[in-house]
Amino acid sequence: MDFTVALAQIKPKLGCLDDNMALAEAAIEKGVAAGADLVVFPELALTGYFLKDLVPEVALRLDSPQMEKLKKLSERISIAIGFVEVSTDFRFFNSAVYLEGGEIRHVHRKVYLPTYGLFDEQRYMARGERFRAFDTRFGRIGMLICEDMWHLSAPYILAMDGAMTLICLSSSPGRGVTESEGLGSAAAWQKLTTTTAMFLNCRVFYCNRVGYEDGINFWGGSEAISPSGEMTDRGAILEEDFVLAKVDGGALRRERIFSPMMRDENLAITVKELKRIDREKGC
């Protein structure tokens, strides 16, 4: 089916749940007015990123009033949004929730928490333990959160689980300068999204935030990638934006006929060889 995706490239306020909920609601209303079918937000859109000791203060349960409000809004448009989740045993996760038809359809807890350079997520958050695709009105989808996508096994697992669309919610800081004087982090992400889409014959929707926190700048550049690896729509660099991407439902079928990578993928060999490596390493 054809559908329209809105990438809400917003600037969350650090630790301000109410303000960020208002930002999200405004973007959702904008998406509805524009005829979008799905709106995607960045990683930790409801809280800001460099939370540190604020994590317990902004964490939400899946039955919180904020989630109930988002469930109601999802009766009009499907929603993918990032937040801090608190579990019943009081662990805190960097999570993304997908809501549709007034229900929570899926929750992904970030598996790969970076602890290098300026990142220190694992000090404050618990790690997720799975990657699962799930069914939506747009077909089968998989969600990743920022660093997850840099581990090749993560999108591969989702594709093997039937995902035809990957949604990546991100809070990527601007780092490095390329020879063309562009941002190194932007160039790296653009290579990653297009390569992932091309090798897995899937759509990729990447939503990155903007703004400053603790002197760190987030660069935006949200984008929609077709199953052939072609960038079809891209958001502004370093500025808030609202990207509307029209998805040609037939493009995925055509690409999988023309370049049947997923048809020919041999999961049994992959599993067998990984088990061998696991045994040989004595894991």
Side-chain angles (χ1 to χ4, degrees), residues 112-127:
Y112 293 105
L113 303 178
T115 55
Y116 57 85
L118 53 83
F119 303 107
D120 199 15
E121 287 186 38
Q122 199 167 325
R123 181 177 179 183
Y124 303 98
M125 307 275 198
R127 289 181 294 178

Side-chain angles (χ1 to χ4, degrees), residues 106-223:
H106 185 72
V107 178
H108 171 63
R109 293 170 169 176
K110 189 174 184 179
V111 173
Y112 293 105
L113 303 178
T115 55
Y116 57 85
L118 53 83
F119 303 107
D120 199 15
E121 287 186 38
Q122 199 167 325
R123 181 177 179 183
Y124 303 98
M125 307 275 198
R127 289 181 294 178
E129 298 177 344
R130 67 179 191 175
F131 294 104
R132 300 284 170 84
F134 55 99
D135 294 319
T136 75
R137 62 190 178 118
F138 313 110
R140 202 153 170 82
I141 286 178
M143 287 200 301
L144 300 165
I145 302 175
C146 211
E147 185 82 5
D148 288 340
M149 196 161 179
W150 285 98
H151 293 260
L152 294 175
S153 57
Y156 177 81
I157 289 168
L158 292 174
M160 291 298 98
D161 200 21
M164 295 180 290
T165 299
L166 297 179
I167 297 174
C168 182
L169 297 79
S170 181
S171 286
S172 172
R175 294 178 293 163
V177 179
T178 65
E179 291 182 0
S180 61
E181 298 187 354
L183 281 172
S185 50
W189 268 105
Q190 288 161 8
K191 290 177 184 176
L192 177 63
T193 54
T194 56
T195 302
T196 300
M198 181 172 61
F199 279 104
L200 297 178
N201 295 146
C202 65
R203 311 178 189 99
V204 173
F205 302 127
Y206 172 71
C207 190
N208 188 31
R209 62 161 291 178
V210 292
Y212 281 87
E213 285 182 10
D214 288 345
I216 304 298
N217 191 19
F218 299 89
W219 57 274
S222 304
E223 56 185 13

Side-chain angles (χ1 to χ4, degrees), residues 59-62 83-88 90-93 109:
L60 298 174
R61 293 169 53 99
L62 293 178
F83 70 111
V84 177
E85 177 195 358
V86 57
S87 63
T88 54
F90 304 107
R91 289 180 297 159
F92 302 97
F93 297 92
R109 293 170 169 176

